[in-house]
Amino acid sequence: MAKTVNRPFVGADHRSPPSTKRIFRRPHGQQWLALVAGGFTLAQLILVRPGMGLGWDETVYVSQVGSDVPAAFFSAPRARGVSLLVAPIASWSSSTALLRVYLAVLSGLGLFVALRVWRGLFPTRVLAAAGALFATLWVTLFYGPQAMPNYWVAIGALACVGCFLRAQADRFDRAALWGVGLSAALMAWMRPTDAVYVTLPLFFLVVCVRRWRSPRLLVALVAGLVAGAGEWVVEAYVSYGGLAQRLSDGSKIQGGLGWNLAFDDQMRSLGGRVLCRPCTGAMPAPPVMLWWFALPVVAVLGAVIAVKARRRVNSLLPLACAAVVGFPYLFMIGYAAPRFLLPVYILLAIPAADALIHLVTAPGGGRRPVAATLVALGLVGHLGVQFAVLHHTVHGTTVSHEDWADTATQLHRLGVKPPCMLTGYEDVPIAFYTGCSSVDTVGHNANTTVDAIVRAGQRLPVGVLITPGQKPPTYARTWEAHRVGHLMVYVAPAVRAG
């Protein structure tokens, strides 16, 4: 078993200075972490399937670097990290399957690196169990191979907290110090606001707690956040009217940040609703939600066990970071998406795994077999629920993406081909599949005017998408109407003349 670092948490009675002794590292044990990461990648390829088309948000990120589609409007809350992440594939290939395989392999590698950071802080078996717990959640498997930022914020959060603990315990560990900065940069690169929330407890320790004060760690955290969010801040002044304006616009797009209990919204999303906005309808069945309540309880139990074992900080710090990063998504927005809480789940996974390992290995006479049996049965049921929800979610998502692709094919038959323009209902993803640019005059993606659309319709194939029974905008009422799948499209005069 790897040696653990026993560091007191804030307010503890132990008053000795931080240890400068190097953390003992054993050369073996990594194969278990590699096995978990490899299994995670393989499970994505088998269960999520590379052929699943791109989702709405994915089309926005991929279009920024794709060579065969116009870039979609990039709204204020988004950051460029995902676009740069997919650029090695999307910049030269339009194959969704290839992109999925690339992201599945990359996500497995990211999980391995983030878990490996914690070697020496927890036994390898705890880290492998934590990785398995996180990797078998349906939301983790579903978003691992997707061009979305939340999984990578989670990986950055786990690596950042682990490197922070290592650097604090060993001032000679330069690799850990670099890891703090790079992990913070990764999070800020993907979602700057999430990166700030994750690192708030770390800043509190290095600034406000005397025995934890460390100029090196403070510089590493600040440098990482600045490096990751620098482009986002510069873009705010170049394209969004300043940083305050961009933050304000982002808040409006998210429904206005303020006090709002979103627990019920998150619970409704657990059944496989990738976006719960507006979040109405019935709650999922109790077995589907059980893990969501059990995970924080077991994680707190792990922290209690760690406190008794005099290694409290290793469990309490990830718990603190999980609570802070989860706060805005549980108390400050009026809708939910299960991917929002991925950083919370990965940070809770380590103390939760520590608790489960303790329950099945701690000496207790006749209670130990009973505890092991209950834990095993609980995990088997947990896996069954996760894979059932995953199958349902993948099927529904694949069908909706195929609908967009079918609509694009019908639009091509009507003459709406690149270079072209689409506006209206679900214009962003349908435009991506069609190879058109997407434009809107109102809403979160407003980027043009009615006059500009009318002028474009005189020289380009322009289509206005609406749902049946909805009236087209005034400027398109004389355009030719066609049924495309479950939608109606009004095509501009340039298509008829074409």
Side-chain angles (χ1 to χ4, degrees):
M1 183 184 298
K3 181 179 178 182
T4 56
V5 179
N6 299 325
R7 293 277 298 124
F9 195 59
V10 180
D13 293 331
H14 183 65
R15 299 184 181 277
S16 61
S19 172
T20 59
K21 184 178 179 180
R22 286 187 177 274
I23 299 173
F24 179 74
R25 299 175 178 85
R26 290 185 177 181
H28 61 278
Q30 295 188 59
Q31 65 269 22
W32 293 107
L33 305 183
L35 184 63
V36 169
F40 175 52
T41 293
L42 186 61
Q44 293 176 64
L45 298 177
I46 294 174
L47 300 175
V48 182
R49 297 190 295 272
M52 186 178 70
L54 297 180
W56 186 314
D57 292 287
E58 289 185 290
T59 64
V60 176
Y61 291 120
V62 173
S63 70
Q64 308 303 310
V65 293
S67 59
D68 57 345
V69 291
F73 177 73
F74 209 73
S75 60
R78 301 187 188 276
R80 302 280 175 179
V82 174
S83 298
L84 295 176
L85 184 73
V86 303
I89 300 298
S91 60
W92 60 272
S93 174
S94 61
S95 172
T96 301
L98 180 60
L99 182 62
R100 293 275 187 241
V101 172
Y102 162 76
L103 289 172
V105 173
L106 204 61
S107 62
L109 180 61
L111 181 61
F112 171 77
V113 172
L115 289 172
R116 190 182 183 280
V117 163
W118 286 77
R119 290 188 68 219
L121 300 170
F122 280 93
T124 301
R125 60 182 179 179
V126 171
L127 301 181
L133 282 175
F134 178 68
T136 53
L137 294 177
W138 76 261
V139 63
T140 309
L141 285 164
F142 185 70
Y143 283 105
Q146 292 199 40
M148 297 290 281
N150 309 85
Y151 174 82
W152 295 102
V153 174
I155 292 299
L158 185 65
C160 187
V161 177
C163 287
F164 181 89
L165 289 170
R166 299 183 76 92
Q168 181 66 27
D170 182 0
R171 61 187 179 90
F172 296 106
D173 194 341
R174 294 185 178 180
L177 196 63
W178 276 96
V180 171
L182 293 174
S183 301
L186 174 63
M187 291 188 290
W189 193 33
M190 295 294 171
R191 289 183 73 89
T193 51
D194 280 7
V196 172
Y197 281 113
V198 170
T199 54
L200 278 178
L202 310 185
F203 276 112
F204 174 79
L205 289 179
V206 297
V207 173
C208 301
V209 181
R210 180 166 48 182
R211 73 188 57 176
W212 282 82
R213 287 175 186 168
S214 171
R216 300 176 305 114
L217 280 172
L218 180 60
V219 170
L221 285 170
V222 172
L225 293 179
V226 170
E231 184 277 335
W232 193 83
V233 174
V234 171
E235 188 180 42
Y237 288 97
V238 172
S239 305
Y240 296 91
L243 180 59
Q245 186 61 47
R246 185 169 196 177
L247 291 171
S248 176
D249 291 345
S251 174
K252 291 177 182 177
I253 289 174
Q254 293 176 323
L257 296 180
W259 184 254
N260 186 82
L261 291 178
F263 282 93
D264 56 337
D265 295 342
Q266 286 291 342
M267 285 189 287
R268 286 188 174 91
S269 73
L270 296 175
R273 297 177 64 177
V274 295
L275 181 63
C276 200
R277 185 179 190 180
C279 208
T280 56
M283 291 284 185
V288 174
M289 300 186 292
L290 181 60
W291 72 269
W292 198 70
F293 292 97
L295 179 61
V297 172
V298 177
V300 171
L301 175 61
V304 172
I305 294 171
V307 169
K308 292 181 178 180
R310 297 181 181 272
R311 48 181 173 80
R312 63 193 71 182
V313 68
N314 294 353
S315 293
L316 291 177
L317 188 56
L319 274 177
C321 293
V324 175
V325 74
F327 183 85
Y329 294 118
L330 294 173
F331 295 97
M332 295 182 65
I333 63 174
Y335 68 101
R339 59 187 172 87
F340 290 163
L341 296 181
L342 277 171
V344 176
Y345 302 149
I346 200 170
L347 289 168
L348 294 180
I350 287 184
D354 193 25
L356 294 177
I357 295 293
H358 176 82
L359 290 174
V360 300
T361 60
R367 291 177 296 178
R368 180 173 170 180
V370 174
T373 301
L374 291 176
V375 169
L377 291 175
L379 291 176
V380 170
H382 169 74
L383 291 176
V385 169
Q386 296 303 312
F387 292 151
V389 175
L390 178 66
H391 175 75
H392 166 75
T393 306
V394 169
H395 175 73
T397 303
T398 302
V399 169
S400 67
H401 294 175
E402 289 174 348
D403 286 345
W404 291 337
D406 292 340
T407 300
T409 300
Q410 295 180 58
L411 288 172
H412 286 165
R413 292 172 182 166
L414 293 175
V416 182
K417 301 177 180 180
C420 51
M421 182 183 294
L422 288 178
T423 187
Y425 182 77
E426 294 186 338
D427 60 297
V428 173
I430 295 175
F432 178 88
Y433 281 82
T434 311
C436 301
S437 60
S438 58
V439 294
D440 289 282
T441 58
V442 295
H444 301 153
N445 297 314
N447 59 350
T448 191
T449 63
V450 170
D451 290 340
I453 295 176
V454 172
R455 288 195 301 270
Q458 297 172 358
R459 55 185 175 82
L460 292 175
V462 176
V464 178
L465 298 164
I466 62 171
T467 57
Q470 181 184 6
K471 292 183 178 180
T474 303
Y475 64 83
R477 289 178 183 174
T478 59
W479 294 4
E480 192 171 295
H482 299 272
R483 183 69 178 255
V484 287
H486 64 283
L487 301 177
M488 296 293 297
V489 59
Y490 287 76
V491 296
V495 178
R496 297 200 300 268

